Amino acid sequence: MTSARPRRSALYLPASNARAVEKARALACDVVILDLEDAVAPDAKDEARAGAVAAARAAGFGPRELVIRVNGLDTPWGEADLAAATEARPDAVLIPKVSSPDDIAAARARAPSDIPLWAMIETCAAMFRLEALGAASRHAGVAAWVIGSNDLAKEMRCALDAERAPLATALSLSLMAARAHGLTILDGVYNDIADADGLARQCAQGAALGFDGKTLIHPSQVDAANAAFSPDADAVAWARTVVTAFDAPEAVGRGVIKVEGRMVERLHLEQARRLIAVADAIEARTAG
């Protein structure tokens, strides 16, 4: 079962930009991803690595999860990135371009077992190994997958607009594989920072598909993601009604009960409890 921890908005920031990282400590995002990969030029990789380590050690991110995205192990910077990131002990380390179970095993072999790993699903090869990747992820302590829609679209040579029709199959299959193995999964980024309407449509699409949240490239996108991936108030109220009904003495041992005229199965009880847990966590974070 995926975590009830809110991960509605995961903001990428170049770890070489100390000013942006400092501002992130006060943003409303659920996750801060300090990026050593795509957002950092080759001649700034060492500076970014040092900045990420310093930020992780300084802490001060409050309830936000802090994740460091390293460069791939097949690059000149990957080994040093992973060693430095795990030593800094963020909440997780994000591994890019995971295409096979061997990629997950290689990362885990170099990272302490108590450091959660996240994996980028962003290659065509990964799409044909999703079941194996899911099993390997669960075995290796990978807590979440992140869709890399830009890299995937680049490999596919397809158009990438707000509706993302060419990626529909990849998004759905990735989500199903993640759910089959109890993983959190975050949607890819929306590139047009100025297009608030397109962002809102894509956030709504991702939420409707079932993603837990969305990765972002600019602080101005945080509010839209938080709104789209927060549980609907009516849905939370109904979930509380379902839990109360199943907790009643007359419902003990029953697989199906009638709640306010609707037939509700026990499988809906787990969904209701998770929805409530997410809503309560968001409320606690907002109050804090």
Side-chain angles (χ1 to χ4, degrees):
M1 183 178 178
T2 53
S3 169
R5 183 168 188 172
R7 288 164 173 153
R8 301 164 296 172
S9 49
L11 178 64
Y12 287 111
L13 293 170
S16 54
N17 188 336
R19 186 165 174 265
V21 173
E22 180 60 32
K23 286 186 175 182
R25 291 179 167 88
L27 295 176
C29 56
D30 292 332
V31 183
V32 174
I33 303 177
L34 302 182
D35 192 18
L36 307 182
E37 195 209 16
D38 288 345
V40 179
D43 60 358
K45 296 290 188 183
D46 291 343
E47 176 190 354
R49 184 188 307 124
V53 169
R57 288 177 173 166
F61 289 89
R64 300 162 196 82
E65 280 184 280
L66 181 66
V67 178
I68 298 177
R69 179 166 73 168
V70 299
N71 286 279
L73 292 174
D74 60 346
T75 71
W77 314 282
E79 294 274 0
D81 283 353
L82 189 52
T86 55
E87 185 177 348
R89 303 196 73 80
D91 293 300
V93 175
L94 178 56
I95 309 300
K97 296 178 178 62
V98 170
S99 296
S100 75
D102 289 344
D103 295 333
I104 294 173
R108 175 47 75 201
R110 292 164 174 80
S113 59
D114 61 340
I115 295 285
L117 298 179
W118 290 14
M120 295 289 301
I121 304 300
E122 53 184 341
T123 68
C124 292
M127 293 301 119
F128 293 95
R129 300 170 180 148
L130 288 169
E131 167 57 27
L133 286 170
S137 293
R138 181 167 56 182
H139 176 74
V142 173
W145 283 359
V146 179
I147 295 294
S149 44
N150 283 337
D151 281 271
L152 184 57
K154 178 183 176 181
E155 276 199 17
M156 292 172 60
R157 303 176 191 168
C158 69
L160 188 59
D161 57 15
E163 281 65 42
R164 301 184 294 182
L167 297 187
T169 299
L171 294 174
S172 294
L173 288 176
S174 297
L175 198 146
M176 284 185 262
R179 293 292 181 248
H181 293 281
L183 305 173
T184 292
I185 182 167
L186 304 182
D187 197 2
V189 300
Y190 187 67
N191 298 313
D192 191 345
I193 297 170
D195 183 11
D197 180 66
L199 171 65
R201 295 202 313 274
Q202 196 170 100
C203 285
Q205 180 194 52
L209 282 168
F211 285 100
D212 294 292
K214 189 166 184 65
T215 46
L216 312 169
I217 59 172
H218 194 272
S220 65
Q221 298 177 324
V222 170
D223 288 345
N226 283 349
F229 291 95
S230 291
D232 176 77
D234 290 340
V236 175
W238 172 249
R240 295 189 192 280
T241 299
V242 168
V243 170
T244 299
F246 271 106
D247 285 343
E250 60 270 21
V252 173
R254 296 180 59 185
V256 180
I257 62 174
K258 183 179 287 189
V259 182
E260 295 184 357
R262 296 162 60 178
M263 300 306 296
V264 180
E265 299 181 45
R266 188 162 288 275
L267 65 90
H268 298 123
L269 178 60
E270 180 181 338
Q271 297 172 347
R273 285 177 171 157
R274 183 184 181 280
L275 187 68
I276 292 168
V278 171
D280 288 347
I282 292 171
E283 183 177 357
R285 178 169 298 184
T286 303

